[in-house]
Each structure stands twice: as structure tokens, then as C-alpha cells.
Amino acid sequence: MHSIDALKCVYDTKTRKWAIEILYSEGEKSYRFDISGPQEAQTVIEAFNMAVISIFDPASGEIHFISEPQGDDPYADEAEADDEEENNKSDATKPRRQ
């Protein structure tokens, strides 16, 4: 797999086709693949911009846009409630000082 440095959107006026070109960070040969149009190009570029890391696997032809979760954890309230419940249970089992 190769780390991707940038993506370039290309419109070939001779063939009248849209493409995305992958530019590798290591200066290796670029790779170009056809897409259906500017909307698909925009989707691919947005995925690239949102990703923490982007890699290309020439063997499978797959591009992987790897992101980290953004925003609040939807399960944070449940985890806090579980922790609080666990703390209450452990407090109930401790001997009380008089």
C-alpha cells in the first residue's frame, strides 16, 4: 500500500472523461482512475480531506480513507452511568466507620 499525498481531479478534454489522479507522498508514479463526473470527484475529494490517512492498494485498486471519530461519543452517557453505578455498588460493600 502507498500513502497518498494528494488527489487531483482531472477532466480530459480529448476523451471528455473525468478522472481522479492519486499523487503519492514518496514521489512514486501517480495512478489515474476514471470516474463518472464532477459529483463523484467531489465525494472522493471530500473523503480524502476528512481522512486522517489515505492509502492506495495497487493490487486491489482500492483507496482507503481512514478517519477518526469526530464529535461526542454517542455512548459516553451510558459509560458514565455504568461507572457511577459500579462506584455506588462498591461504596455499599465498604465497611462504614463509626
Side-chain angles (χ1 to χ4, degrees), residues 50-67:
M50 291 173 30
V52 174
I53 187 168
S54 300
I55 52 177
F56 174 65
D57 183 0
S60 68
E62 294 178 344
I63 301 172
H64 299 258
F65 300 111
I66 303 165
S67 301

Side-chain angles (χ1 to χ4, degrees), residues 7-9 20 35 38-54 63 65-67:
L7 294 179
K8 181 170 61 171
C9 181
I20 292 286
I35 55 174
Q39 291 174 334
E40 187 176 359
Q42 182 177 359
T43 301
V44 172
I45 298 292
E46 286 174 0
F48 174 75
N49 288 334
M50 291 173 30
V52 174
I53 187 168
S54 300
I63 301 172
F65 300 111
I66 303 165
S67 301

Side-chain angles (χ1 to χ4, degrees), residues 47-95:
F48 174 75
N49 288 334
M50 291 173 30
V52 174
I53 187 168
S54 300
I55 52 177
F56 174 65
D57 183 0
S60 68
E62 294 178 344
I63 301 172
H64 299 258
F65 300 111
I66 303 165
S67 301
E68 291 181 352
Q70 300 285 326
D72 295 334
D73 181 356
Y75 303 105
D77 291 339
E78 291 175 19
E80 288 175 16
D82 290 344
D83 289 344
E84 190 174 309
E85 185 178 314
E86 190 64 37
N87 287 339
N88 289 340
K89 285 180 184 177
S90 64
D91 287 344
T93 59
K94 290 181 184 176

